[in-house]
Coordinates of all heavy atoms in Angstrom, one line a residue:
M249 N -20.2 3.4 -10.1 CA -21.7 3.6 -10.1 C -22.1 4.1 -11.5 O -21.5 4.9 -12.1 CB -22.0 4.7 -9.0 CG -23.3 5.3 -9.1 SD -23.8 6.4 -7.8 CE -22.4 7.5 -7.5
S250 N -23.1 3.4 -12.0 CA -23.6 3.7 -13.3 C -25.1 4.0 -13.2 O -25.8 3.4 -12.4 CB -23.5 2.5 -14.2 OG -22.1 2.2 -14.4
F251 N -25.5 4.9 -14.0 CA -26.9 5.3 -14.2 C -27.2 5.9 -15.5 O -26.2 6.3 -16.2 CB -27.4 6.3 -13.0 CG -26.6 7.5 -13.0 CD1 -26.9 8.6 -13.8 CD2 -25.4 7.6 -12.2 CE1 -26.2 9.8 -13.7 CE2 -24.7 8.8 -12.2 CZ -25.1 9.9 -13.0
W252 N -28.4 5.9 -16.0 CA -28.8 6.4 -17.3 C -29.7 7.6 -17.1 O -30.5 7.6 -16.3 CB -29.5 5.3 -18.1 CG -28.6 4.2 -18.5 CD1 -28.5 3.0 -17.8 CD2 -27.7 4.1 -19.5 NE1 -27.6 2.2 -18.4 CE2 -27.1 2.8 -19.5 CE3 -27.4 4.9 -20.6 CZ2 -26.1 2.4 -20.4 CZ3 -26.4 4.5 -21.5 CH2 -25.8 3.3 -21.4
V253 N -29.5 8.6 -18.0 CA -30.4 9.7 -18.0 C -30.7 10.0 -19.5 O -30.0 9.7 -20.4 CB -29.7 11.0 -17.4 CG1 -29.5 10.8 -15.9 CG2 -28.4 11.3 -18.1
T254 N -31.9 10.6 -19.7 CA -32.3 10.9 -21.0 C -31.6 12.1 -21.6 O -31.3 12.2 -22.8 CB -33.9 11.1 -21.1 OG1 -34.3 12.1 -20.2 CG2 -34.6 9.8 -20.8
D255 N -31.4 13.1 -20.7 CA -30.7 14.3 -21.1 C -29.3 14.3 -20.5 O -29.2 14.4 -19.3 CB -31.5 15.5 -20.6 CG -30.9 16.8 -21.1 OD1 -29.9 16.8 -21.8 OD2 -31.5 17.9 -20.8
P256 N -28.3 14.3 -21.3 CA -26.9 14.3 -20.8 C -26.6 15.4 -19.9 O -25.7 15.3 -19.0 CB -26.0 14.3 -22.1 CG -26.9 13.8 -23.2 CD -28.3 14.2 -22.8
L257 N -27.3 16.5 -20.1 CA -27.0 17.7 -19.3 C -27.5 17.5 -17.8 O -27.1 18.2 -16.9 CB -27.6 19.0 -19.8 CG -27.1 19.4 -21.2 CD1 -27.9 20.6 -21.8 CD2 -25.6 19.7 -21.1
D258 N -28.3 16.5 -17.6 CA -28.8 16.2 -16.2 C -27.9 15.2 -15.5 O -28.1 15.0 -14.3 CB -30.2 15.6 -16.3 CG -31.3 16.6 -16.7 OD1 -31.1 17.8 -16.5 OD2 -32.3 16.1 -17.2
A259 N -26.9 14.7 -16.2 CA -26.1 13.6 -15.6 C -25.4 14.1 -14.3 O -25.3 13.4 -13.3 CB -25.1 13.1 -16.6
F260 N -24.8 15.3 -14.3 CA -24.1 15.8 -13.2 C -25.0 16.0 -12.0 O -24.7 15.5 -10.9 CB -23.4 17.2 -13.5 CG -22.7 17.7 -12.3 CD1 -21.4 17.2 -12.0 CD2 -23.2 18.7 -11.5 CE1 -20.7 17.7 -10.9 CE2 -22.5 19.2 -10.5 CZ -21.2 18.7 -10.2
N261 N -26.2 16.6 -12.2 CA -27.1 16.8 -11.1 C -27.7 15.4 -10.6 O -27.8 15.2 -9.3 CB -28.3 17.6 -11.5 CG -27.9 19.1 -11.7 OD1 -26.9 19.5 -11.1 ND2 -28.6 19.8 -12.6
V262 N -28.0 14.5 -11.5 CA -28.5 13.2 -11.1 C -27.4 12.4 -10.3 O -27.7 11.8 -9.2 CB -29.0 12.4 -12.3 CG1 -29.3 10.9 -11.9 CG2 -30.2 13.0 -12.9
G263 N -26.2 12.5 -10.8 CA -25.1 11.8 -10.1 C -24.9 12.4 -8.7 O -24.7 11.6 -7.7
S264 N -24.9 13.7 -8.6 CA -24.8 14.3 -7.3 C -25.9 14.0 -6.3 O -25.7 13.6 -5.2 CB -24.7 15.9 -7.5 OG -24.6 16.5 -6.3
D265 N -27.1 14.0 -6.8 CA -28.3 13.6 -6.0 C -28.2 12.1 -5.6 O -28.5 11.8 -4.4 CB -29.6 13.8 -6.8 CG -29.9 15.3 -7.0 OD1 -29.3 16.2 -6.3 OD2 -30.7 15.6 -7.9
L266 N -27.7 11.3 -6.4 CA -27.6 9.9 -6.1 C -26.5 9.6 -5.0 O -26.8 8.9 -4.0 CB -27.2 9.1 -7.4 CG -27.1 7.6 -7.2 CD1 -28.4 7.0 -6.7 CD2 -26.8 6.9 -8.5
R267 N -25.4 10.3 -5.2 CA -24.3 10.2 -4.1 C -24.8 10.7 -2.8 O -24.5 10.2 -1.7 CB -23.1 10.9 -4.6 CG -22.3 10.1 -5.7 CD -21.0 10.7 -6.0 NE -21.1 11.9 -6.8 CZ -21.3 12.0 -8.1 NH1 -21.4 10.9 -8.8 NH2 -21.4 13.2 -8.6
R268 N -25.5 11.8 -2.8 CA -26.0 12.4 -1.6 C -27.0 11.5 -0.9 O -27.0 11.3 0.3 CB -26.7 13.8 -1.9 CG -27.2 14.4 -0.6 CD -27.8 15.8 -0.8 NE -26.9 16.7 -1.5 CZ -26.0 17.4 -0.8 NH1 -25.9 17.3 0.5 NH2 -25.1 18.2 -1.4
A269 N -27.9 10.8 -1.7 CA -28.9 9.9 -1.2 C -28.2 8.7 -0.5 O -28.6 8.2 0.5 CB -29.9 9.4 -2.2
I270 N -27.1 8.2 -1.2 CA -26.4 7.1 -0.6 C -25.7 7.5 0.7 O -25.8 6.8 1.7 CB -25.3 6.6 -1.7 CG1 -26.0 5.9 -2.8 CG2 -24.3 5.6 -1.0 CD1 -25.1 5.6 -4.0
W271 N -25.1 8.7 0.7 CA -24.4 9.2 1.9 C -25.4 9.3 3.1 O -25.2 8.9 4.2 CB -23.8 10.5 1.6 CG -23.1 11.2 2.8 CD1 -23.7 12.1 3.6 CD2 -21.8 10.9 3.2 NE1 -22.8 12.4 4.6 CE2 -21.6 11.7 4.3 CE3 -20.8 10.1 2.7 CZ2 -20.4 11.7 5.0 CZ3 -19.6 10.2 3.4 CH2 -19.4 10.9 4.5
E272 N -26.6 9.9 2.8 CA -27.6 10.1 3.8 C -28.1 8.7 4.4 O -28.3 8.5 5.6 CB -28.8 10.9 3.3 CG -28.4 12.4 3.1 CD -29.4 13.2 2.4 OE1 -30.5 12.6 2.0 OE2 -29.2 14.4 2.3
R273 N -28.3 7.7 3.5 CA -28.7 6.4 3.9 C -27.7 5.7 4.7 O -28.0 5.1 5.7 CB -29.1 5.6 2.6 CG -29.7 4.2 3.0 CD -31.0 4.4 3.7 NE -31.5 3.1 4.1 CZ -32.5 2.4 3.5 NH1 -33.0 2.9 2.4 NH2 -32.9 1.3 4.0
F274 N -26.4 5.9 4.3 CA -25.3 5.3 5.1 C -25.3 5.9 6.5 O -25.1 5.2 7.5 CB -24.0 5.5 4.5 CG -23.6 4.5 3.5 CD1 -24.5 3.8 2.7 CD2 -22.3 4.1 3.3 CE1 -24.2 2.8 1.8 CE2 -21.9 3.1 2.4 CZ -22.8 2.5 1.6
E275 N -25.5 7.2 6.6 CA -25.5 7.8 7.9 C -26.7 7.3 8.8 O -26.6 7.1 10.0 CB -25.6 9.4 7.8 CG -24.3 10.0 7.4 CD -24.3 11.5 7.4 OE1 -25.4 12.1 7.2 OE2 -23.3 12.1 7.5
K276 N -27.9 7.2 8.1 CA -29.1 6.7 8.8 C -28.9 5.3 9.4 O -29.3 5.0 10.5 CB -30.3 6.8 7.9 CG -31.5 6.3 8.5 CD -32.7 6.3 7.5 CE -33.9 5.6 8.0 NZ -35.0 5.5 7.0
E277 N -28.2 4.4 8.6 CA -28.0 3.0 8.9 C -26.7 2.8 9.8 O -26.4 1.7 10.1 CB -28.0 2.2 7.7 CG -29.2 2.2 6.8 CD -30.4 1.6 7.5 OE1 -30.3 0.7 8.4 OE2 -31.6 2.0 7.2
K278 N -26.0 4.0 10.0 CA -24.8 3.9 10.8 C -23.7 3.0 10.1 O -23.0 2.3 10.7 CB -25.0 3.4 12.2 CG -26.1 4.1 13.0 CD -25.5 5.3 13.8 CE -26.5 5.8 14.7 NZ -27.1 7.0 14.4
I279 N -23.6 3.1 8.8 CA -22.7 2.4 8.0 C -21.5 3.3 7.8 O -21.6 4.4 7.3 CB -23.3 1.9 6.6 CG1 -24.5 1.0 6.9 CG2 -22.2 1.3 5.8 CD1 -25.2 0.7 5.6
T280 N -20.3 2.7 8.1 CA -19.1 3.5 7.8 C -18.2 2.7 6.9 O -18.2 1.4 6.9 CB -18.3 3.8 9.1 OG1 -18.0 2.6 9.8 CG2 -19.2 4.6 10.1
I281 N -17.3 3.3 6.2 CA -16.3 2.7 5.4 C -15.0 3.1 5.9 O -14.6 4.3 5.9 CB -16.5 3.1 3.9 CG1 -17.9 2.8 3.4 CG2 -15.4 2.5 3.0 CD1 -18.1 3.3 2.0
P282 N -14.3 2.1 6.5 CA -13.0 2.5 7.1 C -12.0 2.9 6.1 O -11.9 2.4 5.0 CB -12.6 1.2 7.9 CG -13.3 0.1 7.2 CD -14.6 0.7 6.6
F283 N -11.2 3.8 6.5 CA -10.1 4.3 5.7 C -8.9 3.3 5.7 O -8.6 2.8 6.8 CB -9.6 5.6 6.2 CG -8.5 6.3 5.3 CD1 -8.9 6.9 4.1 CD2 -7.2 6.2 5.6 CE1 -7.9 7.4 3.3 CE2 -6.2 6.8 4.8 CZ -6.6 7.4 3.6
P284 N -8.4 2.8 4.6 CA -7.3 1.8 4.6 C -6.1 2.4 5.4 O -5.7 3.5 5.2 CB -7.0 1.6 3.2 CG -7.6 2.6 2.4 CD -8.7 3.3 3.2
Q285 N -5.5 1.6 6.2 CA -4.4 2.0 7.0 C -3.2 1.0 6.8 O -3.4 -0.2 6.6 CB -4.7 2.0 8.5 CG -5.7 3.1 8.8 CD -6.0 3.1 10.3 OE1 -5.4 2.4 11.1 NE2 -7.0 3.9 10.7
R286 N -2.0 1.5 6.8 CA -0.9 0.7 6.7 C 0.0 0.9 7.9 O 0.3 2.0 8.3 CB -0.1 1.1 5.4 CG 1.2 0.3 5.2 CD 1.9 0.8 4.0 NE 1.0 0.6 2.8 CZ 1.3 1.0 1.6 NH1 2.4 1.7 1.4 NH2 0.5 0.8 0.6
Q287 N 0.5 -0.2 8.5 CA 1.4 -0.1 9.6 C 2.8 -0.3 9.1 O 3.1 -1.3 8.3 CB 1.1 -1.1 10.6 CG -0.2 -0.8 11.4 CD -0.4 -1.8 12.5 OE1 0.1 -2.9 12.5 NE2 -1.3 -1.4 13.4
I288 N 3.7 0.5 9.5 CA 5.1 0.4 9.1 C 5.9 0.2 10.3 O 5.8 0.9 11.3 CB 5.6 1.7 8.4 CG1 4.7 2.0 7.2 CG2 7.1 1.7 8.1 CD1 5.0 3.3 6.5
Y289 N 6.7 -0.9 10.3 CA 7.5 -1.3 11.4 C 8.9 -0.9 11.1 O 9.5 -1.3 10.1 CB 7.5 -2.8 11.6 CG 6.1 -3.3 11.9 CD1 5.3 -3.9 11.0 CD2 5.6 -3.2 13.2 CE1 4.0 -4.3 11.3 CE2 4.3 -3.6 13.5 CZ 3.5 -4.2 12.5 OH 2.3 -4.6 12.8
P290 N 9.5 0.0 12.0 CA 10.9 0.4 11.7 C 11.8 -0.7 11.8 O 11.7 -1.6 12.7 CB 11.1 1.5 12.8 CG 10.1 1.2 13.8 CD 8.9 0.5 13.2
M291 N 12.8 -0.7 11.0 CA 13.8 -1.8 11.0 C 15.2 -1.2 11.5 O 15.5 0.0 11.1 CB 14.0 -2.2 9.6 CG 14.8 -3.4 9.4 SD 14.7 -3.9 7.6 CE 16.3 -3.4 7.1
E292 N 15.9 -1.9 12.3 CA 17.2 -1.4 12.8 C 18.2 -1.9 11.8 O 18.2 -3.0 11.3 CB 17.4 -1.9 14.2 CG 17.5 -3.4 14.3 CD 17.6 -3.8 15.8 OE1 17.2 -3.1 16.7 OE2 18.2 -4.9 16.0
W293 N 19.3 -1.1 11.6 CA 20.3 -1.6 10.7 C 21.6 -1.2 11.4 O 21.8 0.0 11.7 CB 20.2 -1.0 9.3 CG 21.2 -1.6 8.4 CD1 22.4 -1.1 8.0 CD2 21.1 -2.9 7.9 NE1 23.0 -2.0 7.2 CE2 22.2 -3.1 7.1 CE3 20.2 -3.9 7.9 CZ2 22.5 -4.3 6.4 CZ3 20.4 -5.0 7.2 CH2 21.5 -5.2 6.5
P294 N 22.6 -2.0 11.6 CA 22.5 -3.4 11.3 C 21.7 -4.2 12.3 O 21.5 -3.7 13.4 CB 24.0 -3.9 11.4 CG 24.6 -2.9 12.3 CD 23.9 -1.6 12.1
P295 N 21.1 -5.3 11.9 CA 20.3 -6.0 12.9 C 21.1 -6.6 14.0 O 22.2 -6.9 13.9 CB 19.7 -7.2 12.0 CG 20.4 -7.2 10.7 CD 21.2 -5.9 10.6
K296 N 20.4 -6.6 15.2 CA 21.1 -7.1 16.4 C 21.3 -8.7 16.3 O 22.3 -9.2 16.8 CB 20.3 -6.8 17.6 CG 20.3 -5.3 18.0 CD 19.5 -5.1 19.2 CE 19.5 -3.6 19.5 NZ 18.7 -3.3 20.7
T297 N 20.4 -9.3 15.6 CA 20.5 -10.8 15.5 C 21.3 -11.2 14.3 O 21.5 -10.4 13.4 CB 19.1 -11.4 15.4 OG1 18.5 -10.9 14.2 CG2 18.2 -11.1 16.6
Q298 N 21.8 -12.4 14.3 CA 22.6 -12.8 13.2 C 21.8 -13.4 12.1 O 22.0 -14.5 11.6 CB 23.6 -13.9 13.7 CG 24.8 -13.3 14.5 CD 25.6 -12.4 13.7 OE1 25.3 -11.3 13.3 NE2 26.8 -12.8 13.4
Q299 N 20.8 -12.8 11.7 CA 19.9 -13.2 10.6 C 20.3 -12.5 9.3 O 19.4 -12.1 8.6 CB 18.4 -13.0 11.0 CG 18.0 -13.8 12.2 CD 16.6 -13.6 12.5 OE1 15.9 -12.6 12.0 NE2 16.0 -14.4 13.4
S300 N 21.5 -12.3 9.1 CA 21.9 -11.5 7.9 C 22.7 -12.5 7.0 O 23.0 -13.6 7.4 CB 22.7 -10.3 8.3 OG 24.0 -10.7 8.8
L301 N 23.1 -11.9 5.9 CA 23.9 -12.7 4.9 C 25.4 -12.4 5.1 O 26.2 -12.8 4.3 CB 23.5 -12.3 3.5 CG 22.1 -12.6 3.1 CD1 21.8 -12.0 1.7 CD2 21.8 -14.1 3.1
R302 N 25.8 -11.8 6.2 CA 27.2 -11.5 6.5 C 28.1 -12.6 6.4 O 29.1 -12.5 5.7 CB 27.3 -10.8 7.8 CG 28.6 -10.1 8.1 CD 28.6 -9.3 9.3 NE 27.5 -8.4 9.1 CZ 27.5 -7.1 9.5 NH1 28.5 -6.7 10.1 NH2 26.5 -6.3 9.3
P303 N 27.9 -13.8 7.0 CA 28.8 -14.9 6.8 C 29.0 -15.3 5.3 O 30.1 -15.6 4.9 CB 28.3 -16.1 7.7 CG 27.4 -15.4 8.7 CD 26.9 -14.1 8.0
Q304 N 27.9 -15.3 4.7 CA 27.9 -15.7 3.2 C 28.7 -14.7 2.4 O 29.5 -15.0 1.6 CB 26.5 -15.8 2.7 CG 26.4 -16.2 1.2 CD 25.0 -16.3 0.7 OE1 24.0 -16.2 1.5 NE2 24.8 -16.4 -0.6
L305 N 28.5 -13.4 2.7 CA 29.2 -12.4 2.0 C 30.7 -12.5 2.3 O 31.5 -12.3 1.4 CB 28.7 -11.0 2.4 CG 27.3 -10.7 2.0 CD1 26.8 -9.3 2.5 CD2 27.2 -10.6 0.5
Q306 N 31.1 -12.8 3.5 CA 32.5 -12.9 3.8 C 33.1 -14.1 3.1 O 34.2 -13.9 2.5 CB 32.7 -13.1 5.3 CG 32.4 -11.8 6.1 CD 32.5 -12.1 7.7 OE1 32.6 -13.2 8.1 NE2 32.4 -11.0 8.4
A307 N 32.4 -15.2 2.9 CA 32.9 -16.3 2.2 C 33.1 -15.9 0.7 O 34.1 -16.3 0.1 CB 32.0 -17.5 2.3
E308 N 32.2 -15.2 0.2 CA 32.3 -14.7 -1.2 C 33.5 -13.8 -1.4 O 34.1 -13.8 -2.4 CB 31.0 -14.0 -1.7 CG 29.8 -15.0 -1.8 CD 28.5 -14.3 -2.1 OE1 28.5 -13.0 -2.2 OE2 27.5 -14.9 -2.2
Q309 N 33.7 -12.9 -0.4 CA 34.9 -12.0 -0.5 C 36.2 -12.8 -0.5 O 37.1 -12.5 -1.3 CB 34.9 -11.0 0.6 CG 33.8 -10.0 0.5 CD 33.6 -9.1 1.7 OE1 34.3 -9.4 2.8 NE2 32.8 -8.1 1.7
V310 N 36.3 -13.9 0.3 CA 37.5 -14.7 0.3 C 37.7 -15.3 -1.1 O 38.8 -15.4 -1.6 CB 37.4 -15.8 1.4 CG1 38.5 -16.8 1.3 CG2 37.4 -15.1 2.8
I311 N 36.6 -15.8 -1.7 CA 36.7 -16.5 -3.0 C 37.1 -15.4 -4.0 O 38.0 -15.7 -4.9 CB 35.3 -17.1 -3.4 CG1 35.1 -18.3 -2.5 CG2 35.3 -17.5 -4.8 CD1 33.7 -18.9 -2.6
D312 N 36.6 -14.2 -3.9 CA 36.9 -13.1 -4.9 C 38.4 -12.8 -4.7 O 39.1 -12.5 -5.7 CB 36.1 -11.9 -4.7 CG 34.7 -12.1 -5.2 OD1 34.4 -13.1 -6.0 OD2 33.8 -11.3 -4.8
Q313 N 38.9 -12.7 -3.5 CA 40.3 -12.4 -3.2 C 41.2 -13.5 -3.8 O 42.2 -13.1 -4.4 CB 40.6 -12.2 -1.7 CG 40.0 -11.0 -1.1 CD 40.2 -10.9 0.4 OE1 40.6 -11.8 1.0 NE2 39.8 -9.7 0.9
E314 N 40.9 -14.7 -3.6 CA 41.7 -15.8 -4.2 C 41.7 -15.8 -5.7 O 42.7 -16.0 -6.3 CB 41.1 -17.2 -3.7 CG 41.3 -17.4 -2.2 CD 40.6 -18.7 -1.7 OE1 40.0 -19.3 -2.6 OE2 40.8 -19.0 -0.6
A315 N 40.6 -15.4 -6.3 CA 40.5 -15.4 -7.8 C 41.4 -14.2 -8.3 O 42.1 -14.3 -9.3 CB 39.1 -15.2 -8.2
T316 N 41.4 -13.1 -7.5 CA 42.2 -11.9 -7.9 C 43.7 -12.2 -7.8 O 44.5 -11.9 -8.6 CB 41.8 -10.7 -7.0 OG1 40.4 -10.5 -7.1 CG2 42.5 -9.5 -7.5
E317 N 44.0 -13.0 -6.7 CA 45.4 -13.4 -6.5 C 45.9 -14.3 -7.6 O 47.1 -14.2 -8.1 CB 45.6 -14.0 -5.2 CG 45.5 -13.0 -4.0 CD 45.4 -13.7 -2.6 OE1 45.5 -15.0 -2.6 OE2 45.3 -13.0 -1.6
D318 N 45.0 -15.2 -8.1 CA 45.4 -16.1 -9.1 C 45.6 -15.4 -10.5 O 46.4 -15.9 -11.3 CB 44.3 -17.2 -9.3 CG 44.2 -18.1 -8.2 OD1 45.2 -18.2 -7.4 OD2 43.1 -18.8 -8.0
M319 N 45.0 -14.3 -10.7 CA 45.1 -13.5 -11.9 C 46.4 -12.8 -12.0 O 46.9 -12.5 -13.0 CB 43.9 -12.6 -12.1 CG 42.6 -13.2 -12.2 SD 41.3 -12.0 -12.3 CE 40.9 -12.0 -14.0
S320 N 47.0 -12.5 -10.8 CA 48.2 -11.7 -10.9 C 49.5 -12.5 -10.9 O 49.6 -13.6 -11.2 CB 48.3 -10.8 -9.6 OG 48.0 -11.4 -8.5

């Protein structure tokens, strides 16, 4: 919100009066501003469904084990 005043010392009072006038007008017109809300869905771990990377991780572990055996 921007406004101009001739005397800088009046800026606080003018700003306060302006915000109060806006608030009162919003109340008169029944205008509300909803508070932002966020929904958080809890996640279970480990998941019950097989939508994980577990098979891929097991395959990578086998490859790592073979590479380790080749080094020895």
Side-chain angles (χ1 to χ4, degrees):
M249 166 173 42
S250 297
F251 57 90
W252 294 95
V253 293
T254 55
D255 183 357
L257 297 176
D258 289 337
F260 182 76
N261 291 332
V262 170
S264 180
D265 293 343
L266 183 59
R267 285 186 290 276
R268 182 177 302 276
I270 292 170
W271 179 266
E272 290 171 355
R273 184 64 185 261
F274 273 35
E275 285 184 335
K276 179 182 174 186
E277 300 293 330
K278 308 269 191 253
I279 298 172
T280 59
I281 300 174
F283 185 77
Q285 296 181 3
R286 179 181 297 173
Q287 290 184 338
I288 300 174
Y289 298 99
M291 185 175 111
E292 61 183 31
W293 190 257
K296 290 181 182 178
T297 60
Q298 288 294 72
Q299 296 178 349
S300 69
L301 298 175
R302 191 169 303 217
Q304 181 181 349
L305 292 175
Q306 289 174 351
E308 290 174 1
Q309 289 173 352
V310 170
I311 293 170
D312 288 343
Q313 287 175 353
E314 290 173 357
T316 307
E317 290 171 0
D318 292 340
M319 296 174 107
S320 45

